[in-house]
Amino acid sequence: MATLKQVAAHAEVSVQTVSNALNAPHRLRPDTLERVNRSIELLNYRPNRNARSLRTSAVELIGYCVPNWPNQTHLVMDQFLHALCAAAERTGRHILLFTAPPGVDGMPVYDDLHARRLVDGFVLSQTETHDPRHGWLKEQKIPFISFGRVWKETTQPGPWVDVDGAAGSAMAVRHLHEAGRRRIAFLSWSKSSGLAEDRLGGWRKACKELGLPTSGLAVRCREDSITEGARATAELLDADPFLDGIVALSDILALGALRELGRRGLTPGVDVGVTGFDDSPLADVVSPGLTSLRQPMDDIAAELISILTDPDGPPDASTERLLHPELVIRGSSAPG
Amino acid sequence: MATLKQVAAHAEVSVQTVSNALNAPHRLRPDTLERVNRSIELLNYRPNRNARSLRTSAVELIGYCVPNWPNQTHLVMDQFLHALCAAAERTGRHILLFTAPPGVDGMPVYDDLHARRLVDGFVLSQTETHDPRHGWLKEQKIPFISFGRVWKETTQPGPWVDVDGAAGSAMAVRHLHEAGRRRIAFLSWSKSSGLAEDRLGGWRKACKELGLPTSGLAVRCREDSITEGARATAELLDADPFLDGIVALSDILALGALRELGRRGLTPGVDVGVTGFDDSPLADVVSPGLTSLRQPMDDIAAELISILTDPDGPPDASTERLLHPELVIRGSSAPG
DNA sequence: CTGAAAGCGCTTACAG
DNA sequence: CTGAAAGCGCTTACAG
């Protein structure tokens, strides 16, 4: 493994010049630069990142806590991680994975990783309603960026990027309305979820604007499962035989709706239009395909990394980015 | 941020002694050790990892390439990553994520990460039949360990950990046989997949041993989708109305089988027993639940990390570990 | 534009 | 058991 010194000796310049050739090539005369680059090539030199980091005290590594919630599967996690890595790499950085206990119990792990200079900062996801991590990190002045809002009544304890769930639900409602649906229900979760309330609100608002009924058409599911989605759908259909549209808070709940429709001999996309959220791999693998609201993962990741690594210093709490989901239309809402 | 020097000054010892207190506490007299530890605590000292790595030239970071294959979703990736992280952390290491083009085109990325000392070695997964990465890394003498075999005719180009797919299929067959099934089919993939041939072989062998028929009972699916699983199941049922068991190569194919059974008014677990592979989150979220072969992720991860970080030096190609899957029984094979 | 030198924060023979 | 010193491979004021 060649070092800077060896390259310098080979190119007959000082180490400083080799370092500049790498980090500030404009400072060198073209012929010197070329000579140095030839030596770098020839010796197959790669700068040692640890030495660099020790000197600059920046490791160019971003911490991400890999979630472990058996009961809430993150079906689009591989997409998110891939996008996050790719975005980090575009700035010469990488993602360091770690595990930590949920909530505030995990914070010493974050603190330790930062203090020992294994990472420069953190990307938080799986943000929970009233998530305590953000406030803690802010307190410790540890740089971070959140994917997802904390949904506190007061201001957000830090910068965030999120997808506009209300706008997503509204898009789904308008799409179903255009397809002729007039009684559109909403499958939700518990009231305590900020995310659920956001998406529910978008459904209600869009229905009102289009003059569609909402009363009795929102059902809360106890958990995010196919079974619960099917149960809620059964409840809706029993109460309202003219129901012709279902906007579900998640792909899993939507899959439950599809199953209950099938059980009753109703054809999704023909008798009842159904939409989900997240455009998980399942949406494309069922038949009919599930219309779903795709989170723009590449844009989300790019914003997260760009805010966290802003050269003007660590982000403050006023940085907010609300991105729009994209409706991916499949057979469950529009037979074709 | 306190440094070793400051701690030494505070405890009135040399830096060497503080370093020893951290890395070789047995070398200190108990009273010295206690004094040093008090100073460490008081100053909230955390050793700078970059300085350590520069000195020891070990970064304690393991590279893992985050897969991006849209057409083959890795439904258990979050489980795998969590297990891998946790296992790495038990040895004081962490996982560094990166992206790379598939196949041999990605190898310069691996080489660069290793040469620049961002990682000590790699964990490979999503191993493909005749995967070229293993041979390349071996050639470059870059430490790695593979989850999954390359399925070359010749010897493996490196150490690996894998799950015994043949044993898994055999377990599924015996389980269905015990439940009274006598005509058990197998849903497979293309012949070119070593993994598929392994699992198919286990099914055939177990059937033969139990005196069950196999002729015409293995179907190859063109892709890993619910639709293909359903199509293959339809083909099987059309050809053999007495079919009463289906062992599927994947949970996705098994889900297709469940759907086709439902479509024909047959009840999974009652009329036909069905099993899948991987125990993905879907298996538990459908109804009836899908009986499936769980890969022992924690054991796999522990073996991977233990082999890769063996203190006796980097692993050689002769290290092999074949772990057993576990049959998780749900309603699709045994109505409860 | 280029070079000699200090220093980032550790670890580790070596000597006492 | 403890300490003084060299050195890991870089970057960066500073001087020429």
PDB file of all heavy atoms in Angstrom, chain B residues 266-297:
ATOM      1  N   LEU B 266     -60.986 -24.085  -2.586  1.00  0.00           N
ATOM      2  CA  LEU B 266     -60.273 -25.034  -1.722  1.00  0.00           C
ATOM      3  C   LEU B 266     -59.698 -24.279  -0.527  1.00  0.00           C
ATOM      4  O   LEU B 266     -59.263 -23.129  -0.653  1.00  0.00           O
ATOM      5  CB  LEU B 266     -59.138 -25.705  -2.502  1.00  0.00           C
ATOM      6  CG  LEU B 266     -59.587 -26.558  -3.703  1.00  0.00           C
ATOM      7  CD1 LEU B 266     -58.389 -26.964  -4.544  1.00  0.00           C
ATOM      8  CD2 LEU B 266     -60.355 -27.782  -3.214  1.00  0.00           C
ATOM      9  N   THR B 267     -59.698 -24.917   0.631  1.00  0.00           N
ATOM     10  CA  THR B 267     -59.205 -24.242   1.827  1.00  0.00           C
ATOM     11  C   THR B 267     -57.775 -24.686   2.134  1.00  0.00           C
ATOM     12  O   THR B 267     -57.538 -25.871   2.372  1.00  0.00           O
ATOM     13  CB  THR B 267     -60.100 -24.557   3.035  1.00  0.00           C
ATOM     14  OG1 THR B 267     -61.440 -24.209   2.706  1.00  0.00           O
ATOM     15  CG2 THR B 267     -59.648 -23.751   4.260  1.00  0.00           C
ATOM     16  N   PRO B 268     -56.828 -23.732   2.129  1.00  0.00           N
ATOM     17  CA  PRO B 268     -55.440 -24.069   2.467  1.00  0.00           C
ATOM     18  C   PRO B 268     -55.373 -24.609   3.891  1.00  0.00           C
ATOM     19  O   PRO B 268     -56.024 -24.075   4.786  1.00  0.00           O
ATOM     20  CB  PRO B 268     -54.708 -22.722   2.374  1.00  0.00           C
ATOM     21  CG  PRO B 268     -55.600 -21.836   1.566  1.00  0.00           C
ATOM     22  CD  PRO B 268     -56.989 -22.300   1.818  1.00  0.00           C
ATOM     23  N   GLY B 269     -54.633 -25.664   4.072  1.00  0.00           N
ATOM     24  CA  GLY B 269     -54.500 -26.255   5.399  1.00  0.00           C
ATOM     25  C   GLY B 269     -55.536 -27.326   5.643  1.00  0.00           C
ATOM     26  O   GLY B 269     -55.356 -28.202   6.476  1.00  0.00           O
ATOM     27  N   VAL B 270     -56.649 -27.248   4.908  1.00  0.00           N
ATOM     28  CA  VAL B 270     -57.677 -28.283   5.032  1.00  0.00           C
ATOM     29  C   VAL B 270     -57.622 -29.194   3.807  1.00  0.00           C
ATOM     30  O   VAL B 270     -57.278 -30.363   3.905  1.00  0.00           O
ATOM     31  CB  VAL B 270     -59.082 -27.664   5.190  1.00  0.00           C
ATOM     32  CG1 VAL B 270     -60.129 -28.763   5.249  1.00  0.00           C
ATOM     33  CG2 VAL B 270     -59.143 -26.787   6.433  1.00  0.00           C
ATOM     34  N   ASP B 271     -57.889 -28.598   2.655  1.00  0.00           N
ATOM     35  CA  ASP B 271     -57.878 -29.400   1.423  1.00  0.00           C
ATOM     36  C   ASP B 271     -56.450 -29.643   0.927  1.00  0.00           C
ATOM     37  O   ASP B 271     -56.122 -30.726   0.480  1.00  0.00           O
ATOM     38  CB  ASP B 271     -58.697 -28.694   0.345  1.00  0.00           C
ATOM     39  CG  ASP B 271     -60.136 -28.496   0.794  1.00  0.00           C
ATOM     40  OD1 ASP B 271     -60.739 -29.495   1.229  1.00  0.00           O
ATOM     41  OD2 ASP B 271     -60.632 -27.361   0.743  1.00  0.00           O
ATOM     42  N   VAL B 272     -55.656 -28.616   0.978  1.00  0.00           N
ATOM     43  CA  VAL B 272     -54.269 -28.713   0.507  1.00  0.00           C
ATOM     44  C   VAL B 272     -53.352 -28.006   1.506  1.00  0.00           C
ATOM     45  O   VAL B 272     -53.623 -26.874   1.907  1.00  0.00           O
ATOM     46  CB  VAL B 272     -54.100 -28.050  -0.888  1.00  0.00           C
ATOM     47  CG1 VAL B 272     -52.655 -28.153  -1.361  1.00  0.00           C
ATOM     48  CG2 VAL B 272     -55.055 -28.665  -1.910  1.00  0.00           C
ATOM     49  N   GLY B 273     -52.297 -28.712   1.922  1.00  0.00           N
ATOM     50  CA  GLY B 273     -51.315 -28.095   2.807  1.00  0.00           C
ATOM     51  C   GLY B 273     -50.269 -27.349   2.001  1.00  0.00           C
ATOM     52  O   GLY B 273     -49.799 -27.848   0.988  1.00  0.00           O
ATOM     53  N   VAL B 274     -49.915 -26.141   2.426  1.00  0.00           N
ATOM     54  CA  VAL B 274     -48.961 -25.322   1.669  1.00  0.00           C
ATOM     55  C   VAL B 274     -47.848 -24.827   2.601  1.00  0.00           C
ATOM     56  O   VAL B 274     -48.113 -24.439   3.743  1.00  0.00           O
ATOM     57  CB  VAL B 274     -49.666 -24.095   1.040  1.00  0.00           C
ATOM     58  CG1 VAL B 274     -48.667 -23.213   0.297  1.00  0.00           C
ATOM     59  CG2 VAL B 274     -50.796 -24.535   0.109  1.00  0.00           C
ATOM     60  N   THR B 275     -46.605 -24.874   2.095  1.00  0.00           N
ATOM     61  CA  THR B 275     -45.490 -24.290   2.856  1.00  0.00           C
ATOM     62  C   THR B 275     -44.672 -23.370   1.962  1.00  0.00           C
ATOM     63  O   THR B 275     -44.605 -23.556   0.755  1.00  0.00           O
ATOM     64  CB  THR B 275     -44.537 -25.377   3.408  1.00  0.00           C
ATOM     65  OG1 THR B 275     -43.826 -25.964   2.312  1.00  0.00           O
ATOM     66  CG2 THR B 275     -45.278 -26.463   4.169  1.00  0.00           C
ATOM     67  N   GLY B 276     -44.041 -22.385   2.590  1.00  0.00           N
ATOM     68  CA  GLY B 276     -43.179 -21.453   1.862  1.00  0.00           C
ATOM     69  C   GLY B 276     -41.752 -21.510   2.393  1.00  0.00           C
ATOM     70  O   GLY B 276     -41.396 -22.410   3.153  1.00  0.00           O
ATOM     71  N   PHE B 277     -40.965 -20.543   1.987  1.00  0.00           N
ATOM     72  CA  PHE B 277     -39.568 -20.476   2.415  1.00  0.00           C
ATOM     73  C   PHE B 277     -39.225 -19.054   2.837  1.00  0.00           C
ATOM     74  O   PHE B 277     -39.588 -18.103   2.133  1.00  0.00           O
ATOM     75  CB  PHE B 277     -38.633 -20.849   1.258  1.00  0.00           C
ATOM     76  CG  PHE B 277     -37.880 -22.138   1.475  1.00  0.00           C
ATOM     77  CD1 PHE B 277     -38.324 -23.321   0.914  1.00  0.00           C
ATOM     78  CD2 PHE B 277     -36.725 -22.142   2.242  1.00  0.00           C
ATOM     79  CE1 PHE B 277     -37.623 -24.503   1.102  1.00  0.00           C
ATOM     80  CE2 PHE B 277     -36.025 -23.327   2.437  1.00  0.00           C
ATOM     81  CZ  PHE B 277     -36.463 -24.507   1.863  1.00  0.00           C
ATOM     82  N   ASP B 278     -38.569 -18.895   3.939  1.00  0.00           N
ATOM     83  CA  ASP B 278     -37.988 -17.634   4.430  1.00  0.00           C
ATOM     84  C   ASP B 278     -38.704 -17.027   5.623  1.00  0.00           C
ATOM     85  O   ASP B 278     -38.156 -16.174   6.308  1.00  0.00           O
ATOM     86  CB  ASP B 278     -37.912 -16.542   3.357  1.00  0.00           C
ATOM     87  CG  ASP B 278     -36.635 -16.646   2.562  1.00  0.00           C
ATOM     88  OD1 ASP B 278     -35.876 -17.598   2.812  1.00  0.00           O
ATOM     89  OD2 ASP B 278     -36.388 -15.787   1.707  1.00  0.00           O
ATOM     90  N   ASP B 279     -39.954 -17.460   5.840  1.00  0.00           N
ATOM     91  CA  ASP B 279     -40.743 -16.877   6.917  1.00  0.00           C
ATOM     92  C   ASP B 279     -40.692 -15.351   6.869  1.00  0.00           C
ATOM     93  O   ASP B 279     -40.374 -14.686   7.840  1.00  0.00           O
ATOM     94  CB  ASP B 279     -40.253 -17.370   8.283  1.00  0.00           C
ATOM     95  CG  ASP B 279     -41.247 -17.030   9.378  1.00  0.00           C
ATOM     96  OD1 ASP B 279     -42.442 -16.944   9.067  1.00  0.00           O
ATOM     97  OD2 ASP B 279     -40.824 -16.826  10.526  1.00  0.00           O
ATOM     98  N   SER B 280     -41.019 -14.818   5.714  1.00  0.00           N
ATOM     99  CA  SER B 280     -41.044 -13.369   5.543  1.00  0.00           C
ATOM    100  C   SER B 280     -42.209 -12.781   6.337  1.00  0.00           C
ATOM    101  O   SER B 280     -43.110 -13.505   6.757  1.00  0.00           O
ATOM    102  CB  SER B 280     -41.180 -13.034   4.060  1.00  0.00           C
ATOM    103  OG  SER B 280     -42.422 -13.477   3.586  1.00  0.00           O
ATOM    104  N   PRO B 281     -42.210 -11.481   6.544  1.00  0.00           N
ATOM    105  CA  PRO B 281     -43.292 -10.853   7.309  1.00  0.00           C
ATOM    106  C   PRO B 281     -44.668 -11.166   6.741  1.00  0.00           C
ATOM    107  O   PRO B 281     -45.655 -11.172   7.481  1.00  0.00           O
ATOM    108  CB  PRO B 281     -42.968  -9.360   7.207  1.00  0.00           C
ATOM    109  CG  PRO B 281     -41.790  -9.223   6.312  1.00  0.00           C
ATOM    110  CD  PRO B 281     -41.150 -10.538   6.209  1.00  0.00           C
ATOM    111  N   LEU B 282     -44.725 -11.448   5.449  1.00  0.00           N
ATOM    112  CA  LEU B 282     -46.017 -11.757   4.844  1.00  0.00           C
ATOM    113  C   LEU B 282     -46.626 -13.015   5.404  1.00  0.00           C
ATOM    114  O   LEU B 282     -47.838 -13.139   5.519  1.00  0.00           O
ATOM    115  CB  LEU B 282     -45.842 -11.956   3.337  1.00  0.00           C
ATOM    116  CG  LEU B 282     -45.314 -10.743   2.603  1.00  0.00           C
ATOM    117  CD1 LEU B 282     -45.170 -11.059   1.134  1.00  0.00           C
ATOM    118  CD2 LEU B 282     -46.277  -9.601   2.826  1.00  0.00           C
ATOM    119  N   ALA B 283     -45.784 -13.974   5.735  1.00  0.00           N
ATOM    120  CA  ALA B 283     -46.270 -15.281   6.154  1.00  0.00           C
ATOM    121  C   ALA B 283     -47.185 -15.156   7.369  1.00  0.00           C
ATOM    122  O   ALA B 283     -48.148 -15.898   7.525  1.00  0.00           O
ATOM    123  CB  ALA B 283     -45.094 -16.208   6.462  1.00  0.00           C
ATOM    124  N   ASP B 284     -46.886 -14.180   8.198  1.00  0.00           N
ATOM    125  CA  ASP B 284     -47.633 -14.053   9.440  1.00  0.00           C
ATOM    126  C   ASP B 284     -48.831 -13.125   9.306  1.00  0.00           C
ATOM    127  O   ASP B 284     -49.671 -13.039  10.193  1.00  0.00           O
ATOM    128  CB  ASP B 284     -46.694 -13.521  10.533  1.00  0.00           C
ATOM    129  CG  ASP B 284     -47.188 -13.873  11.910  1.00  0.00           C
ATOM    130  OD1 ASP B 284     -47.807 -14.945  12.042  1.00  0.00           O
ATOM    131  OD2 ASP B 284     -46.974 -13.073  12.833  1.00  0.00           O
ATOM    132  N   VAL B 285     -48.890 -12.438   8.179  1.00  0.00           N
ATOM    133  CA  VAL B 285     -49.868 -11.370   8.051  1.00  0.00           C
ATOM    134  C   VAL B 285     -51.039 -11.800   7.148  1.00  0.00           C
ATOM    135  O   VAL B 285     -52.059 -11.152   7.102  1.00  0.00           O
ATOM    136  CB  VAL B 285     -49.123 -10.101   7.556  1.00  0.00           C
ATOM    137  CG1 VAL B 285     -49.317  -9.896   6.068  1.00  0.00           C
ATOM    138  CG2 VAL B 285     -49.515  -8.887   8.358  1.00  0.00           C
ATOM    139  N   VAL B 286     -50.877 -12.934   6.462  1.00  0.00           N
ATOM    140  CA  VAL B 286     -51.987 -13.447   5.668  1.00  0.00           C
ATOM    141  C   VAL B 286     -52.836 -14.372   6.534  1.00  0.00           C
ATOM    142  O   VAL B 286     -52.457 -14.724   7.640  1.00  0.00           O
ATOM    143  CB  VAL B 286     -51.497 -14.226   4.422  1.00  0.00           C
ATOM    144  CG1 VAL B 286     -50.833 -13.287   3.443  1.00  0.00           C
ATOM    145  CG2 VAL B 286     -50.553 -15.352   4.815  1.00  0.00           C
ATOM    146  N   SER B 287     -53.969 -14.762   5.988  1.00  0.00           N
ATOM    147  CA  SER B 287     -54.843 -15.642   6.752  1.00  0.00           C
ATOM    148  C   SER B 287     -55.449 -16.658   5.813  1.00  0.00           C
ATOM    149  O   SER B 287     -56.079 -16.273   4.837  1.00  0.00           O
ATOM    150  CB  SER B 287     -55.915 -14.805   7.440  1.00  0.00           C
ATOM    151  OG  SER B 287     -57.075 -15.575   7.660  1.00  0.00           O
ATOM    152  N   PRO B 288     -55.254 -17.957   6.000  1.00  0.00           N
ATOM    153  CA  PRO B 288     -54.501 -18.504   7.130  1.00  0.00           C
ATOM    154  C   PRO B 288     -53.031 -18.152   7.031  1.00  0.00           C
ATOM    155  O   PRO B 288     -52.534 -17.917   5.943  1.00  0.00           O
ATOM    156  CB  PRO B 288     -54.708 -20.018   6.969  1.00  0.00           C
ATOM    157  CG  PRO B 288     -54.885 -20.213   5.499  1.00  0.00           C
ATOM    158  CD  PRO B 288     -55.656 -19.001   5.047  1.00  0.00           C
ATOM    159  N   GLY B 289     -52.373 -18.141   8.178  1.00  0.00           N
ATOM    160  CA  GLY B 289     -50.935 -17.885   8.178  1.00  0.00           C
ATOM    161  C   GLY B 289     -50.210 -18.921   7.344  1.00  0.00           C
ATOM    162  O   GLY B 289     -50.668 -20.058   7.199  1.00  0.00           O
ATOM    163  N   LEU B 290     -49.091 -18.523   6.780  1.00  0.00           N
ATOM    164  CA  LEU B 290     -48.347 -19.420   5.894  1.00  0.00           C
ATOM    165  C   LEU B 290     -47.246 -20.155   6.660  1.00  0.00           C
ATOM    166  O   LEU B 290     -46.371 -19.525   7.259  1.00  0.00           O
ATOM    167  CB  LEU B 290     -47.723 -18.596   4.760  1.00  0.00           C
ATOM    168  CG  LEU B 290     -46.823 -19.353   3.779  1.00  0.00           C
ATOM    169  CD1 LEU B 290     -47.626 -20.401   3.014  1.00  0.00           C
ATOM    170  CD2 LEU B 290     -46.138 -18.379   2.844  1.00  0.00           C
ATOM    171  N   THR B 291     -47.322 -21.469   6.641  1.00  0.00           N
ATOM    172  CA  THR B 291     -46.232 -22.284   7.196  1.00  0.00           C
ATOM    173  C   THR B 291     -44.988 -22.038   6.347  1.00  0.00           C
ATOM    174  O   THR B 291     -45.055 -22.039   5.123  1.00  0.00           O
ATOM    175  CB  THR B 291     -46.617 -23.764   7.156  1.00  0.00           C
ATOM    176  OG1 THR B 291     -47.710 -23.975   8.041  1.00  0.00           O
ATOM    177  CG2 THR B 291     -45.439 -24.636   7.579  1.00  0.00           C
ATOM    178  N   SER B 292     -43.854 -21.799   7.009  1.00  0.00           N
ATOM    179  CA  SER B 292     -42.680 -21.403   6.233  1.00  0.00           C
ATOM    180  C   SER B 292     -41.397 -21.809   6.941  1.00  0.00           C
ATOM    181  O   SER B 292     -41.379 -22.024   8.157  1.00  0.00           O
ATOM    182  CB  SER B 292     -42.711 -19.888   6.018  1.00  0.00           C
ATOM    183  OG  SER B 292     -41.725 -19.489   5.095  1.00  0.00           O
ATOM    184  N   LEU B 293     -40.319 -21.924   6.140  1.00  0.00           N
ATOM    185  CA  LEU B 293     -39.025 -22.328   6.696  1.00  0.00           C
ATOM    186  C   LEU B 293     -38.203 -21.096   7.034  1.00  0.00           C
ATOM    187  O   LEU B 293     -37.738 -20.374   6.150  1.00  0.00           O
ATOM    188  CB  LEU B 293     -38.296 -23.215   5.696  1.00  0.00           C
ATOM    189  CG  LEU B 293     -38.930 -24.611   5.633  1.00  0.00           C
ATOM    190  CD1 LEU B 293     -38.827 -25.202   4.258  1.00  0.00           C
ATOM    191  CD2 LEU B 293     -38.313 -25.521   6.694  1.00  0.00           C
ATOM    192  N   ARG B 294     -38.021 -20.867   8.314  1.00  0.00           N
ATOM    193  CA  ARG B 294     -37.325 -19.685   8.789  1.00  0.00           C
ATOM    194  C   ARG B 294     -35.816 -19.882   8.709  1.00  0.00           C
ATOM    195  O   ARG B 294     -35.287 -20.894   9.156  1.00  0.00           O
ATOM    196  CB  ARG B 294     -37.711 -19.405  10.239  1.00  0.00           C
ATOM    197  CG  ARG B 294     -37.504 -17.980  10.684  1.00  0.00           C
ATOM    198  CD  ARG B 294     -37.869 -17.833  12.148  1.00  0.00           C
ATOM    199  NE  ARG B 294     -36.770 -18.276  12.997  1.00  0.00           N
ATOM    200  CZ  ARG B 294     -35.704 -17.523  13.274  1.00  0.00           C
ATOM    201  NH1 ARG B 294     -35.614 -16.312  12.776  1.00  0.00           N
ATOM    202  NH2 ARG B 294     -34.745 -17.992  14.040  1.00  0.00           N
ATOM    203  N   GLN B 295     -35.119 -18.915   8.161  1.00  0.00           N
ATOM    204  CA  GLN B 295     -33.662 -18.950   8.188  1.00  0.00           C
ATOM    205  C   GLN B 295     -33.225 -18.395   9.547  1.00  0.00           C
ATOM    206  O   GLN B 295     -33.689 -17.348   9.963  1.00  0.00           O
ATOM    207  CB  GLN B 295     -33.089 -18.073   7.081  1.00  0.00           C
ATOM    208  CG  GLN B 295     -33.793 -18.309   5.746  1.00  0.00           C
ATOM    209  CD  GLN B 295     -32.823 -18.349   4.590  1.00  0.00           C
ATOM    210  OE1 GLN B 295     -31.720 -18.880   4.702  1.00  0.00           O
ATOM    211  NE2 GLN B 295     -33.226 -17.790   3.477  1.00  0.00           N
ATOM    212  N   PRO B 296     -32.333 -19.102  10.233  1.00  0.00           N
ATOM    213  CA  PRO B 296     -31.931 -18.647  11.569  1.00  0.00           C
ATOM    214  C   PRO B 296     -30.992 -17.466  11.474  1.00  0.00           C
ATOM    215  O   PRO B 296     -29.775 -17.608  11.555  1.00  0.00           O
ATOM    216  CB  PRO B 296     -31.236 -19.884  12.148  1.00  0.00           C
ATOM    217  CG  PRO B 296     -30.710 -20.619  10.961  1.00  0.00           C
ATOM    218  CD  PRO B 296     -31.636 -20.336   9.828  1.00  0.00           C
ATOM    219  N   MET B 297     -31.584 -16.266  11.300  1.00  0.00           N
ATOM    220  CA  MET B 297     -30.815 -15.057  10.989  1.00  0.00           C
ATOM    221  C   MET B 297     -29.751 -14.731  12.029  1.00  0.00           C
ATOM    222  O   MET B 297     -28.641 -14.327  11.675  1.00  0.00           O
ATOM    223  CB  MET B 297     -31.761 -13.862  10.838  1.00  0.00           C
ATOM    224  CG  MET B 297     -32.532 -13.878   9.545  1.00  0.00           C
ATOM    225  SD  MET B 297     -31.417 -13.786   8.106  1.00  0.00           S
ATOM    226  CE  MET B 297     -32.617 -13.830   6.776  1.00  0.00           C
TER     227      MET B 297
END
